[in-house]
Amino acid sequence: MQQNDSMMRLDRFLSGESEMTRSEVKKKIKSGLVEVNGITALRPEQKINPSSDEILIGGKQVKAAGMVYLMLNKPQGVLSVTEDRRARTVLDLIAQPYARKLFPAGRLDKDTEGLLLLTNDGMLVHRLISPSRHVWKIYFAVVEGEMTKAHEDMFLGGMEIGEKHPTLPAVMRRLSIDGDFLWSIEKESGEGAGQRETEALPSGLSLRMRQICSESLTLGDYSRCGEGQSLCAVALREGKFHQVKRMFETVGGKVIFLKRLAIGSLTLDRELAPGAYRPLTARELRELYEEANTVRVEEP
């Protein structure tokens, strides 16, 4: 039986819509102070529908705040967490009263820039970051060392990076200094004829990567590349610890700059400077939800 996606745990809803912690909410429920549709709640894990159920604490109704969806261009030096006593977090960048109710959809390393979705929509976040759903993420990397077609093939075949299982097939494409894909230039000149995407990868992924690079990268991004370094775009559908950096290290490269450009259908707005954010458009949100609801679930 398929569960309604709008349902959520009672204690999670109440802690998100009040100043109480989850443990404080559980004490209220245990004391019989919480009602759902006129019936005293007995279990913190009770499922409720925030949009249709009437929830009371001590006789006062608790209503769900509207869902918020923000696109942030995360700068370097900021943590992708909701709270940290020693360093700035992504929520410190949000000058809105609802900021503390938001959380990031996944994480970026402290020294990584780029696209981060901030929201209070837990169901969407779960669908986007669940390891079993394999939502594609696209990155731009400046790498110390010369990357070749052989390295592209290594990404495509999956590789051992010290985890229990090898990485899933990923796509790495080298970029020229003017933003074009080197593999396509080689193909036009008769080289690289063996380069192809496997059945494990969606058709058109390379073209989407090329489009995203042209739409999201700035001249400042390209100018980060120096002598003896390579510009690369990477698409992967999992999120192992430091995965992009570790994959390049495995093939003899070292990432010196990393920027996420896309999560599924959501693409970083080039007009957003590092640290800036904006609400998702209706189209962006609709496409993101369509993708989150239709992506194929695979066994890890």
Side-chain angles (χ1 to χ4, degrees):
M1 181 175 179
Q2 187 173 5
Q3 184 178 318
N4 190 329
D5 287 346
S6 62
M7 303 297 283
M8 68 185 301
R9 284 177 59 117
L10 176 60
D11 58 346
R12 182 175 181 180
F13 167 75
L14 290 176
S15 63
E17 299 302 329
S18 69
E19 298 299 322
M20 292 186 293
T21 64
R22 190 79 70 92
S23 61
E24 289 172 337
V25 167
K26 290 180 179 178
K27 290 179 181 179
K28 294 285 186 182
I29 296 173
K30 187 176 181 179
S31 300
L33 297 176
V34 179
E35 295 181 7
V36 178
N37 298 326
I39 300 174
T40 300
L42 302 177
R43 299 175 295 110
E45 66 271 19
Q46 176 179 339
K47 294 299 178 66
I48 57 97
N49 187 327
S51 62
S52 60
D53 291 336
E54 182 182 61
I55 296 98
L56 305 179
I57 296 184
K60 294 183 178 180
Q61 186 173 5
V62 180
K63 292 185 177 181
M67 292 297 184
V68 178
Y69 306 87
L70 300 181
M71 175 191 296
L72 170 70
N73 185 358
K74 178 195 163 307
Q76 292 181 331
V78 178
L79 298 179
S80 300
V81 297
T82 57
E83 185 177 3
D84 191 279
R85 295 180 179 180
R86 296 169 296 178
R88 295 183 74 200
T89 74
V90 290
L91 296 191
D92 293 327
L93 304 174
I94 309 302
Q96 301 291 344
Y98 51 71
R100 291 299 158 187
K101 295 186 180 295
L102 305 179
F103 44 89
R107 294 187 178 186
L108 290 176
D109 297 339
K110 185 176 182 179
D111 61 350
T112 299
E113 293 186 7
L115 176 63
L116 194 64
L117 172 64
L118 297 175
T119 182
N120 54 353
D121 188 341
M123 183 58 66
L124 178 61
V125 170
H126 170 73
R127 288 175 175 269
L128 290 176
I129 70 175
S130 174
S132 65
R133 302 190 72 84
H134 299 318
V135 174
W136 287 92
K137 280 84 67 176
I138 297 175
Y139 296 82
F140 167 77
V142 180
V143 182
E144 192 74 49
E146 182 181 357
M147 295 294 103
T148 68
K149 178 186 174 299
H151 296 131
E152 293 183 353
D153 291 341
M154 292 175 71
F155 272 72
L156 196 60
M159 63 181 71
E160 297 283 354
I161 60 171
E163 296 282 341
K164 184 177 180 180
H165 301 288
T167 65
L168 294 173
V171 178
M172 187 270 281
R173 296 288 185 245
R174 293 159 293 146
L175 296 167
S176 65
I177 196 65
D178 61 358
D180 204 354
F181 272 31
L182 292 179
W183 74 275
S184 62
I185 296 174
E186 292 170 350
K187 195 171 183 180
E188 290 171 1
S189 64
E191 303 175 16
Q195 183 68 61
R196 63 183 179 84
E197 294 180 0
T198 69
E199 293 181 358
L201 303 177
S203 61
L205 179 58
S206 287
L207 290 177
R208 172 157 169 72
M209 292 170 67
R210 193 173 191 172
Q211 179 183 8
I212 287 174
C213 287
S214 67
E215 292 178 353
S216 296
L217 291 175
T218 66
L219 291 177
D221 294 325
Y222 289 113
S223 67
R224 292 178 178 272
C225 186
E227 186 176 353
Q229 298 173 349
S230 302
L231 297 175
C232 303
V234 178
L236 48 83
R237 49 183 168 152
E238 50 189 343
K240 299 182 187 297
F241 182 68
H242 293 326
Q243 182 169 346
V244 175
K245 296 176 182 177
R246 292 164 69 190
M247 292 179 79
F248 276 109
E249 287 175 359
T250 300
V251 301
K254 180 181 179 181
V255 174
I256 60 174
F257 176 73
L258 187 62
K259 181 176 185 176
R260 184 160 65 190
L261 303 181
I263 305 171
S265 62
L266 187 63
T267 303
L268 179 65
D269 187 338
R270 181 162 49 189
E271 299 302 316
L272 288 178
Y277 62 93
R278 67 162 174 78
L280 265 58
T281 66
R283 179 177 179 178
E284 287 170 338
L285 184 57
R286 182 179 67 253
E287 291 179 348
L288 198 60
Y289 249 102
E290 288 176 353
E291 182 168 35
N293 289 329
T294 59
V295 66
R296 179 166 57 95
V297 179
E298 301 177 11
E299 292 297 327

